[in-house]
Amino acid sequence: MNPESLIASAAINIGLAMVVLSLFSILKKQPSNAPIYYARRLSNDMSFQMIHFEPSFTLRRFLPSVSWISRAFRVSETEILHNSGLDALVVIRLFKFGIKFFVVCSIVGIAVLLPVNYNGQDAPSRSDYSMDSFTISNITSGSNRLWIHFACLWFISLYGLYLLYKEYNEILVIRLQQIQHIRHRPDQFTVLVREIPFCNEHNARACSADHFFSKHYPHDYHSYQILYDEKDVEELVSQAKSIARKINDLKERSVVKETKRGTFLLNESEHDRAKLALLEEKLEELRLRIHQLQCEGQLKQKELPVAFVTFKSRLGATLVAQSQQHSNPLIWITSMAPEPRDVSWRNLAIPSRILPLCRLGVVVAASLLTIFFVIPVTAVQGIAKFERLKKWFPPAMAIQLIPGFSSILTGYLPSAILKGFIYIVPFAMLGMAKLGGSISKSKEEIKTCNMVFYFLVGNVFFLSLLSGSLLDQIGESFTHPKDIPTRLASAVSAQADFFLTYILTDGLSGFSLEILQAGLLTWDAIKSCICFCRKEKDPYLYSLPYFRVIPMVSLSILIGMVYAVVAPLLLPFLIGYFCLGYVVFINQIEDVYDITYETYGKYWPYIHHYILVSVILMQITMIGLFGLKSKPAASISTIPLLLLTLMFNEYCKIRFLPSFRNFSVQRAMENDELDMKSNRLEMNYENASNAYSPPCLQPFNFVASAGSSSTQPLVSAS
C-alpha cells in the first residue's frame, strides 16, 4: 500500500467520523429522537420531561457540540457499577486497559523503536509499502539494533502482564463486594437440578425431587419448582399477542378517523367495529385455551426432568451445587441457578444426553462459517494488493485513469468491505450459540464471545496476513526460492499498512456509526411514516451487545500487541481507537442499552484469556522475526519470556478463575450471617422460592394501548 492510499484511508475515516459524530450531537438534541438516544432512561420509569432538551427553534439545538464527550469522561466507575452493574463496568475497563497499555507502548515505540527502525539501513529502504521504513523489516539482518527490539519486547510483555494481574485482582474484589451487596438475589439460594429420575410410585417427577432433597438435606431444603414443556402455551400466547396488537392498532386508527373526518366514514367505522368484534372473540377463545393448558392436570403430563430447588441458606445451596448428588453422575446433575431474568427457558427442555450433539453441531456450523469467510477475506486482500494485481491483470490499470480512485480503492475499500462482512458474524454466531443448549442467556453470549474472537483471530488476522503474503510472493517466490524466508519476514511487517487502515475503519467509522444508530433512525423514520397516528413512541430498547463489543475490541488489542515492536507507528492510532470507544460506550451504557442480566463480571476471565493470547502471539511472532533476521540469540533469549507468560497464565487460573466460577463456602456463610443479623434471611429465601416460576405458569395480560378506549385486560389467565 503506497502512502497516497494510506492518507486516503485516514482522510476518509476521519472525515466520516467527524460528520457522523456531528450529526449525532444534533440528532440527540431533538425530542423526537429520544426513543433512540435515551431508550434506557425512558424505560427506567423516567418521564420524557425529565430529559433536558434545548428550547424549540434555538440555534444551539441545531449546532454540533461535544458536551456528550465531556459528560462521558465525568462518569465514574462507581456510577457505572451502581447503575449498570459489573458486566458493563468490565466493558469500560477493557477500553481503559487498552488506553493504559498502548499509551506506554506508544511512548516506547515512538521514542525508541521508530528512530532505530528508520535508521536501520545505510541507504533508504525501497519498498512498495508506506510504513516499511518505520518497521522492523528496515533493520538489516544480523544487526545488533535488534537487541533494542528484544529489550522493548521484554518491557512491553512484563508491563502487559502487570496490568492483567492488577485488573484481574481489582475486578475480583469488586465482584465479591457486589455479591455481598446484592444479597437479596434469588440465584444465591437456588440450585438448578437436571435429569431428575421419574417416580414410579406417584407417577410424577415433582415428588421425586421433593423426596430426594428433603431426605438428604432436611435442614437446608426449602422448596422446589418443577419445569414443564411449554411449547403449546408459547404458540398460543404468541397468537394472542399478535391479535391483541391488531386490536390496539384498529382502535387507534378508528379514533383518528372519527376525529379527522367526522361522520363521513360511518360505513368504514361499522366495518372496523365488526372486525374488532371478531378479533376480540378469537382472543377470548385463546384466553380460555391458555387457561385450560395451565390447569394442574394438563401440566402434570408435561413435566420435565428439570427443577429449580430453593434452600434456606446460601451455604446449603453452594454445597449442593458443587457436589455430586448420586453414585451415577448422569442423574441429579446440580449447578447454581442463573439469575431469573437470565434463564433460557426453552433450552432447559433439551435432555442432557442430547447436549453434546447440540454443542458439536454449533462447532461444525461455526467452522463452516469460518471456512466460507476465506472467500471475502482473500478478495479484500486482492483489492489491497492492487499494485500486484496490475502486473497479473493489466486491464486493471484502467482504474488509474480516474484521479485518486486507485488510492481510495486500495486504502479505504478493503478495510471497509471487510468490516461490513464482519458486522454480521457476531449475530450469526449468537444464533448458533442459542442452539447449543446453554441454560442462560449470559452463557450463550459468553460462548458467542469465544466463537467470534477465534473467528476474528483466524480470519481477520491470520488469514489476512497469510493471504496478503501469498499474493505478494506469487511468482517471485518460485523464481528465487532461497529468498522465501526474507520475503516472508518483510511481508509480516508489510501487512501493517492493512491493519492500520482496519483500525482506522473499525474505530473511527465503526464507533461513530455505533453511536449514531443509523439503522434505528431509518426504521423509526419508516415507522413514523406508516404509523402516523401514533403520538407516543416506545423506546427502542436492546441489551448491551457484549458478544459483539468484547471480541472486536480484543482483536484490536491483539493487532496492537503483535505490531507493538514490529510497527510502532500503528500504536498512536490505537490510543485514539480506545479513547473514542470509551466515550461512545459510556454514552451507550448510560442512555441507550438495557442491562438484561448480571453475572458479577464473569466476562473478565475470558477477556483476560484473549489478551494473554495476544501477548503470546506477540512473543511467538518476535521469536520468528529474530530468527528470520539472523539473530538466533535473540530468539532463544525470548523463549524464557514465553515460558514466564505461560506460567503467569497458569497462576491466574489457580488464583482467580475458581472465584469467578463458583461461590466460596466462606463467602456464602458470611453473607448468611449478615442476613441473620438483619433478620432478612427468611425473607430472601422465601422470595427465591417464588422467583423461578416457569413462563407457562405466569398470568398473561394483553392490555390495550393508551390510545384505546378500553382499559381492561383483553386476556387475563392465572
Side-chain angles (χ1 to χ4, degrees), residues 10 60 121 128 247 256-257 260 269 271 370 522 648 686:
R60 288 185 60 186
Q121 295 184 12
D128 294 330
I247 291 173
V256 171
K257 287 178 180 178
K260 288 186 174 182
S269 296
H271 174 73
T370 303
T522 305
F648 171 80
E686 286 288 350

Side-chain angles (χ1 to χ4, degrees), residues 273-566:
R273 280 195 289 269
K275 188 176 180 181
L276 186 64
L278 181 62
L279 290 173
E280 288 180 340
E281 183 180 349
K282 289 182 179 180
L283 195 57
E284 178 64 18
E285 292 177 1
L286 288 173
R287 185 193 71 80
L288 294 175
R289 179 58 180 156
I290 291 172
H291 182 74
Q292 182 182 4
L293 290 176
Q294 288 179 327
C295 294
E296 184 178 353
Q298 291 282 337
L299 290 174
K300 194 172 182 180
Q301 300 173 10
K302 298 183 178 182
E303 286 181 346
L304 296 173
V306 184
F308 288 100
V309 181
T310 304
F311 293 84
K312 297 178 182 178
S313 66
R314 298 174 184 82
L315 179 62
T318 301
L319 290 174
V320 171
Q322 299 178 24
S323 57
Q324 183 176 323
Q325 304 302 317
H326 195 270
S327 57
N328 181 0
L330 300 180
I331 60 175
W332 298 108
I333 302 171
T334 56
S335 62
M336 288 301 295
E339 188 183 2
R341 58 181 178 169
D342 189 23
V343 176
S344 182
W345 296 98
R346 182 171 295 182
N347 285 344
L348 292 178
I350 302 175
S352 294
R353 62 182 179 275
I354 300 179
L355 288 178
L357 294 177
C358 295
R359 292 166 186 154
L360 179 61
V362 171
V363 172
V364 172
S367 302
L368 291 175
L369 179 62
T370 303
I371 294 170
F372 173 77
F373 212 80
V374 171
I375 300 171
V377 172
T378 306
V380 162
Q381 288 301 319
I383 298 173
K385 304 297 179 183
F386 179 69
E387 297 298 325
R388 299 288 181 183
L389 285 177
K390 287 191 301 183
K391 297 179 180 179
W392 308 329
F393 188 63
M397 296 177 66
I399 293 175
Q400 290 183 320
L401 298 177
I402 306 174
F405 186 72
S406 62
S407 297
I408 297 173
L409 180 69
T410 58
Y412 176 72
L413 282 184
S415 56
I417 294 171
L418 184 61
K419 181 63 181 174
F421 276 108
I422 290 174
Y423 183 79
I424 65 173
V425 170
F427 300 99
M429 292 292 190
L430 179 63
M432 296 176 192
K434 288 182 178 180
L435 302 176
S438 298
I439 64 173
S440 64
K441 301 168 189 173
S442 59
K443 288 190 174 181
E444 289 173 355
E445 294 203 20
I446 287 173
K447 284 185 177 180
T448 306
C449 278
N450 277 330
M451 291 193 294
V452 174
F453 175 74
Y454 285 110
F455 174 91
L456 294 175
V457 172
N459 273 290
V460 178
F461 183 72
F462 279 114
L463 188 57
S464 294
L465 192 66
L466 294 174
S467 60
S469 300
L470 179 63
L471 289 170
D472 272 343
Q473 309 309 320
I474 288 178
E476 296 183 18
S477 296
F478 292 106
T479 55
H480 302 88
K482 294 181 179 179
D483 296 337
I484 289 178
T486 305
R487 295 184 186 281
L488 286 177
S490 177
V492 169
S493 56
Q495 286 298 99
D497 288 354
F498 171 76
F499 287 118
L500 176 56
T501 60
Y502 175 83
I503 293 295
L504 285 170
T505 304
D506 190 35
L508 294 174
S509 301
F511 287 144
S512 57
L513 291 174
E514 159 70 31
I515 201 170
L516 181 65
Q517 300 285 296
L520 286 182
L521 279 174
T522 305
W523 172 246
D524 184 64
I526 296 172
K527 195 174 179 181
S528 298
C529 293
I530 296 175
C531 306
F532 59 90
C533 60
R534 290 183 182 271
K535 294 182 179 179
E536 294 186 3
K537 300 178 183 178
D538 295 328
Y540 294 94
L541 193 63
Y542 298 94
S543 60
L544 179 61
Y546 301 100
F547 66 94
R548 179 167 60 86
V549 180
I550 291 174
M552 295 289 188
V553 178
S554 299
L555 175 67
S556 298
I557 291 178
L558 184 145
I559 292 171
M561 283 191 171
V562 170
Y563 280 91
V565 181
V566 175

